[in-house]
Amino acid sequence: MNLTWMLTLQSVIFSTIILLETSGEYFSSSGHMRYLFDIEKQLASRLRTTIEREERRIAELKKFYNKIEHIEKKEDERNYIGHPNNAFKILRRLHRDWPKVQKVAERNHEEFSEFYAQYGNLLPSADDVDGARAALLRLQETFALSASQILNGIVPASNGFTKLSASDAYDIGRMAYTDKRYDVTIGWMKEALKLVDTSNHGDDLPSKVNILDHLAWSEYQINRMSDALNHTKQLLKLDPENDRIQRNKEAFENYLLEGVEAEGEKNLEERLAPHEFPHFYYTPDENDFERYHIERKLWQKLCRGETKPVPKRLTYKLVCWHKTDHPMLRIKPARLERIYPKPELIFYRQAMSDREIERVKTLAIDMLQRATVHNPSTGKLESADYRISKSAWLDESHDGIVDIMNRRIEAYTGLSMETAEKLQVANYGMGGHYETHFDFGRSVPLRPPPGKNRTDYTYRTHKGEDFKKDGHRIATFLAYMSNVEAGGATVFTNIGQAVQPAKGDAVFWFNLHHDGSGDFDTRHAACPVLIGEKWVSNRWIHERGQEFRRRCNLRPEDD
């Protein structure tokens, strides 16, 4: 092996060690996507050398290289992988296309094969590619995007986006079809059909028969009989001997004769009037299934910027001020902004410096693991589709910067950090999100709804979670460590508010009332990242130690 190859392999050994510890689920962390970016950049460079030195099969290799040549020339990987189309393409190529290229290249160039073999099992899996497809579907649903918008880059002005192909559209449509999301399937299959009809690249195109088959059946499933019949007729022209398709055609014709057609019933989102935000109290008489779906539509509306105006009677409380009542704040006062009065949401401007942010990210990047949630039935921590991100936990033993942040949060909030949890650093990749949840535990009692007394209200409790010795999470301090080009807001569904990420700023709120009961108005969610990346750090502060710092109200109803 020559000196050039030895230096190249040396340059990636650090990334390889990291990926050995964190392999899998790359789509859920933009931080780990950078390592994949570096891998593909190195592979592109090796492939270029192979093409220059070899003449055999040069046409096939160069055809693929032309597709990924731009990767080798990209310098700003953060912005590039921040676009979901680009991230999806990297995952798909590394999983599906590069193994094929390697088989071609190994016949001509042993050094390329040796270089490729260094990565072994570190490349994305089929689950990664499926996760990326699911992320695109999640973005489509949350931000009310059409398949055409996603295929063409979502935001035309975004930096260096990659258009998706007919094969991409077909595969994403098939995933929606498998999930029985037939209206979504129709959009993707129609786009795939357009691309097949206009594309000059025949090698990587899905079958037109398969596209029309999925399209017609999806239209039938939602009673669009006329469209289903038209596409079935097109299908029969391509496959006239298919008995199943012929039977479908006859059935669709009969349905039309009987007058079966879509009635256009309004879906849940259309039934909700603009700025209408139903208030939930999480009582036993509420329907869990209905509340989940309504809340889901509510946080998606908020993610799109459809927020509820602050009541006029409370706008006088939306003020800004400086806080200097702590020795740590004498030289650099805290800059506070009350962005909502009840529950009180406080924005701390410039709570973290750029230097601190980069230090925390550097400490966390090597420890990022898929974020987990507590399963109340089993009592175990496990991953879940409603929370997709990667996180790491830091304390003072990792770096002195954590202790500095602790003391600053204590100065800002007036609360003791003695029983606070470790600093959680979270990184959201493509489509990364966290659906509606409370930060306090499930065994925390909730206040009765208006008009009900405590004596006739049964607190909702769950097995599997004991009251912790340090009490529950009395407050949350959430710091934003990056700007997000689009998406990524923190939204509060019961009050119809959204907080946009701003690098260096932090938002703070109390999860519990003064009497220790949970404040259901703090129900919140993390919106999917549409374009860009999102880094946050959480500090959850517990009840013990706050007895004389946040006293009980003499009149609980004033809380």
Side-chain angles (χ1 to χ4, degrees), residues 152-429:
N152 291 295
I154 302 173
V155 181
S158 59
N159 182 28
F161 71 87
T162 304
K163 289 187 177 182
L164 302 184
S165 67
S167 183
D168 295 330
Y170 175 71
D171 289 340
I172 295 170
R174 273 182 55 84
M175 174 170 278
Y177 180 87
T178 302
D179 293 339
K180 297 183 178 180
R181 298 166 60 184
Y182 299 113
D183 55 336
V184 177
T185 303
I186 291 170
W188 285 101
M189 291 302 172
K190 284 184 175 180
E191 292 302 321
L193 197 59
K194 291 178 187 177
L195 291 170
V196 166
D197 288 337
T198 58
S199 177
N200 296 321
H201 306 288
D203 295 341
D204 192 36
L205 292 179
S207 162
K208 195 169 181 179
V209 170
N210 287 338
I211 296 173
L212 285 169
D213 201 3
H214 283 85
L215 180 56
W217 192 253
S218 297
E219 289 165 337
Y220 159 70
Q221 290 290 336
I222 59 175
N223 287 344
R224 294 184 183 177
M225 295 302 170
S226 298
D227 293 337
L229 179 59
N230 289 335
H231 287 121
T232 301
K233 290 178 178 178
Q234 293 180 43
L235 193 53
L236 279 172
K237 291 180 181 178
L238 299 173
D239 190 8
E241 304 301 324
N242 193 311
D243 291 338
R244 177 181 60 83
I245 298 173
Q246 182 62 46
R247 290 194 300 272
N248 286 349
K249 172 181 172 291
E250 295 170 358
F252 298 159
E253 288 173 337
N254 290 333
Y255 283 132
L256 283 173
L257 289 174
E258 296 171 3
V260 177
E261 191 60 270
E263 299 177 358
E265 181 181 354
K266 290 184 177 180
N267 59 32
L268 178 63
E269 185 174 7
E270 291 170 334
R271 294 201 302 267
L272 292 174
H275 303 306
E276 178 184 351
F277 290 86
H279 208 120
F280 294 108
Y281 296 98
Y282 309 92
T283 58
D285 57 346
E286 287 182 359
N287 184 298
D288 286 349
F289 182 80
E290 181 177 350
R291 184 182 62 237
Y292 168 79
H293 285 282
I294 291 178
E295 278 192 335
R296 183 179 176 84
K297 293 301 179 184
L298 290 178
W299 70 257
Q300 289 174 349
K301 286 176 65 174
L302 290 168
C303 291
R304 296 193 293 268
E306 302 172 33
T307 57
K308 181 180 179 180
V310 177
K312 289 185 178 180
R313 60 185 175 81
L314 299 176
T315 54
Y316 76 95
K317 294 185 177 181
L318 307 183
V319 296
C320 304
W321 69 99
H322 286 97
K323 189 176 190 290
T324 59
D325 59 352
H326 189 280
M328 195 174 181
L329 305 178
R330 297 289 170 80
I331 297 177
K332 185 181 178 182
R335 298 168 56 194
L336 285 70
E337 178 184 349
R338 184 184 292 119
I339 57 178
Y340 200 81
K342 191 175 181 180
E344 188 176 46
L345 303 180
I346 301 294
F347 226 3
Y348 288 89
R349 300 293 184 181
Q350 298 179 348
M352 291 183 69
S353 67
D354 288 347
R355 184 186 66 82
E356 291 170 335
I357 289 172
E358 292 309 312
R359 182 58 184 158
V360 170
K361 288 164 66 173
T362 299
L363 291 169
I365 187 68
D366 297 348
M367 297 187 288
L368 289 176
Q369 299 290 337
R370 174 67 184 267
T372 57
V373 295
H374 179 266
N375 187 324
S377 301
T378 64
K380 297 180 179 179
L381 293 174
E382 56 190 42
S383 61
D385 289 341
Y386 60 83
R387 185 183 190 183
I388 295 182
S389 64
K390 285 189 174 181
S391 61
W393 298 85
L394 304 177
D395 59 24
E396 294 82 351
S397 66
H398 291 100
D399 196 275
I401 195 71
V402 179
D403 180 58
I404 293 173
M405 292 176 64
N406 282 348
R407 290 188 281 116
R408 184 182 300 140
I409 294 172
E410 183 165 344
Y412 280 173
T413 65
L415 298 176
S416 170
M417 300 297 290
E418 181 183 353
T419 57
E421 297 176 33
K422 294 180 180 180
L423 182 70
Q424 186 199 55
V425 181
N427 176 218
Y428 294 80

Side-chain angles (χ1 to χ4, degrees), residues 3-170:
L3 180 60
T4 302
W5 278 97
M6 292 178 64
L7 292 174
T8 303
L9 291 175
Q10 248 186 345
S11 70
V12 299
I13 190 170
F14 180 67
S15 296
T16 302
I17 292 172
I18 292 172
L19 290 176
L20 280 170
E21 297 295 327
T22 59
S23 60
E25 293 199 355
Y26 300 112
F27 73 93
S28 62
S29 168
S30 61
H32 287 163
M33 282 296 303
R34 293 184 185 179
Y35 296 125
L36 296 183
F37 179 93
D38 183 62
I39 289 175
E40 188 162 30
K41 188 173 183 178
Q42 294 289 341
L43 288 171
S45 179
R46 293 305 96 204
L47 182 56
R48 175 178 53 79
T49 304
T50 301
I51 292 173
E52 291 172 351
R53 295 177 59 181
E54 303 292 335
E55 293 182 356
R56 296 170 58 187
R57 300 179 181 87
I58 192 68
E60 185 175 355
L61 291 174
K62 198 164 186 178
K63 179 180 177 181
F64 179 76
Y65 176 74
N66 289 338
K67 294 180 181 179
I68 50 85
E69 184 179 8
H70 64 284
I71 288 285
E72 191 178 4
K73 299 175 181 178
K74 284 289 179 184
E75 297 295 335
D76 188 359
E77 77 276 8
R78 184 180 64 84
N79 283 338
Y80 184 80
I81 64 175
H83 197 291
N85 286 16
N86 297 336
F88 174 77
K89 282 288 195 178
I90 289 175
L91 287 163
R92 191 181 186 208
R93 283 196 301 264
L94 285 171
H95 171 67
R96 189 194 69 175
D97 298 339
W98 276 102
K100 297 177 183 177
V101 172
Q102 189 268 341
K103 289 182 180 179
V104 175
E106 70 182 356
R107 301 168 191 167
N108 310 314
H109 206 308
E110 293 182 0
E111 289 183 351
F112 180 85
S113 299
E114 292 176 6
F115 180 83
Y116 185 89
Q118 297 297 318
Y119 296 105
N121 296 325
L122 300 179
L123 299 182
S125 65
D127 289 341
D128 266 303
V129 180
D130 284 342
R133 293 190 188 109
L136 289 174
L137 288 172
R138 187 181 312 117
L139 293 174
Q140 180 182 11
E141 178 186 6
T142 302
F143 296 100
L145 301 170
S146 66
S148 175
Q149 286 176 295
I150 295 178
L151 280 168
N152 291 295
I154 302 173
V155 181
S158 59
N159 182 28
F161 71 87
T162 304
K163 289 187 177 182
L164 302 184
S165 67
S167 183
D168 295 330
Y170 175 71

